[in-house]
DNA sequence: TAACGAATGTGATCTACATCACGTAATCAA
DNA sequence: TTGATTACGTGATGTAGATCACATTCGTTA
């Protein structure tokens, strides 16, 4: 499916926009393509856009002083990604976003989002809905982190993103789960049929 | 400060409502008071309201099968609390909310919030803003969980809620940090002057 | 003011996972 | 095809924090 249709279908699930409204809405997005491994947002820079994934897979992640990486999100088609803390507060990025595969994404600037939200009530409703979902998902993941062991979280992750299993290297899955790649490897091989 | 003024001041920081609009907005809230230890939301029941804290302190928490408690949030005055997953998805509560002290809160039903969001664009903007902040805070806490040791998270918590230190028993702080009360006790006493 | 339960402190032991070290397999670029 | 880089597996060892057990202090209520 092309970018415009994908976005339209995604938005239509939540709010009804007239064709003119959607055209206007869509006119604020810009198509961008990246190759596997390229960087979309990197730590320290200004962030003024968020991204809607059309094809491929992004990851957003934090890297600490000891160069350990923690993945906040894998963004598959119809998912949104950015450094929202930096975007909303107009501060420098503290997280990175890059491409796990070749990707096509639509970018929307913070100013344009806010303008669209002001101009079209339905658009504001859509973005409120979107953040609500993100908030609930984030709380759920936090709880799972506190409550469940690594194996359970690994199974949860595969249930949430079944496509990931073959799409991304295992050390990235470990970085999402917050464990070392060695631990994930042992875990994974322990439950294999022998 | 009385409930109405506190809510008005809180909302005014983000959006401008006319006096009539605010009166109308406020008319959908209901004052509720609880004693220390009473339950506001408990697991398994239907959830149809969210709460704005006027005075006192709530906690929202999850209890797992082994009866271990994990605190998602301490809600102080001007903070909002509910089981948002249950509220938004109209499912049964999986988390509990109860009172750490005597409290006064304002309740707003889900239906009324949605109605107000439809009727007054500014109100929708306010709630979008509120969820955005919650989302960013939740992501930040998740990262801290993955990246920092218990001591660092303990110091972060006290920086975020300085009032907590004397306001709540230490085993609740442990439940927020996701560690056992014994571990927190040792941590805390290790850094004491002798 | 007595007494009971809740909150806290602290030792001993156990365990999941990190870290380090090294080897092998797969992928990619020239 | 080959060399280099990246992904992955696995043993040995270290450690933060869990768990269990029990003592002590504090607060509430009768």
């Amino acid at each position: 499916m092309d970018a415009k249709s994908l976005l339209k279908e995604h938005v239509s699930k939540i709010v009804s926009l007239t064709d003119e409204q959607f055209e206007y809405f869509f006119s604020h997005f810009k198509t961008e393509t990246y190759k596997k491994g390229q960087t979309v947002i990197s730590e320290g820079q200004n962030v003024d856009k968020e991204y809607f994934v059309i094809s491929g897979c992004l990851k957003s992640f934090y890297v600490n002083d000891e160069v350990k990486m923690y993945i906040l999100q894998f963004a598959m088609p119809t998912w949104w990604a950015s450094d929202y803390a930096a975007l909303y507060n107009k501060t420098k990025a503290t997280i990175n976003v890059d491409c796990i595969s070749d990707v096509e994404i639509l970018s929307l600037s913070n100013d344009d989002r806010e303008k669209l939200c002001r101009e079209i009530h339905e658009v504001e409703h859509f973005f409120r809905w979107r953040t609500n979902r993100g908030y609930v998902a984030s709380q759920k993941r936090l709880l799972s982190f506190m409550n469940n062991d690594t194996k359970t979280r690994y199974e949860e992750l595969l249930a949430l993103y079944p496509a990931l299993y073959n799409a991304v290297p295992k050390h990235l899955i470990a970085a999402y789960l917050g464990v070392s790649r060695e631990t994930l490897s042992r875990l994974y091989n322990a439950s294999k049929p022998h």
Side-chain angles (χ1 to χ4, degrees), chain A:
Chain A
M1 200 180 332
D2 69 329
K4 193 195 252 187
S5 311
L6 196 63
L7 180 61
K8 185 164 192 172
E9 189 178 88
H10 173 67
V11 172
S12 302
K13 281 182 182 153
I14 307 310
V15 296
S16 305
L17 298 181
T18 65
D19 286 348
E20 297 94 299
Q21 282 177 328
F22 181 77
E23 289 300 322
Y24 179 68
F25 178 69
F26 185 71
S27 73
H28 294 79
F29 286 81
K30 226 179 70 191
T31 299
E32 300 184 16
T33 61
Y34 293 86
K35 290 284 172 196
K36 176 176 175 175
Q38 285 187 305
T39 296
V40 180
I41 294 175
S42 59
E43 192 190 331
Q45 72 181 32
N46 290 316
V47 181
D48 66 344
K49 291 180 197 160
E50 59 179 312
Y51 302 93
F52 177 75
V53 179
I54 301 300
S55 66
C57 184
L58 300 174
K59 67 175 191 285
S60 68
F61 60 103
Y62 171 75
V63 179
N64 73 5
D65 298 339
E66 295 92 49
V67 204
K68 272 177 63 170
M69 175 181 75
Y70 297 100
I71 293 179
L72 280 171
Q73 190 198 3
F74 293 110
M76 315 281 267
T78 79
W79 290 65
W80 298 76
S82 190
D83 178 344
Y84 284 104
L87 192 66
Y88 294 139
N89 304 325
K90 298 184 187 302
T91 54
K92 303 280 181 191
T94 58
I95 70 155
N96 308 271
V97 175
D98 72 12
C99 303
I100 292 179
S101 63
D102 292 357
V103 299
E104 184 186 354
I105 57 189
L106 295 177
S107 69
L108 174 66
S109 77
N110 195 251
D111 290 347
D112 281 343
R113 170 168 36 67
E114 291 305 313
K115 189 188 74 158
L116 287 165
C117 281
R118 257 181 274 117
E119 291 173 344
I120 306 175
H121 192 155
E122 295 286 305
V123 169
E124 182 123 48
H125 181 76
F126 169 77
F127 281 109
R128 177 167 71 90
W129 169 85
R130 189 201 60 179
T131 310
N132 279 164
R133 288 194 81 225
Y135 177 67
V136 168
S138 177
Q139 293 272 90
K140 196 176 161 199
R141 186 169 167 205
L142 183 66
L143 260 187
S144 178
F145 223 95
M146 294 202 276
N147 189 34
N148 299 133
D149 62 14
T150 304
K151 188 174 184 187
T152 307
R153 297 203 317 278
Y154 173 63
E155 283 154 8
E156 268 181 11
L157 175 64
L158 291 189
L160 180 62
Y161 306 88
L164 273 193
Y165 185 79
N166 292 311
V168 315
K170 308 253 179 299
H171 74 268
L172 293 185
I173 294 183
Y176 181 94
L177 296 174
V179 295
S180 69
R181 55 166 204 84
E182 292 95 331
T183 294
L184 181 64
S185 170
R186 279 183 253 265
L187 208 87
Y188 167 70
N189 283 75
S191 46
K192 247 187 199 159
H194 40 264

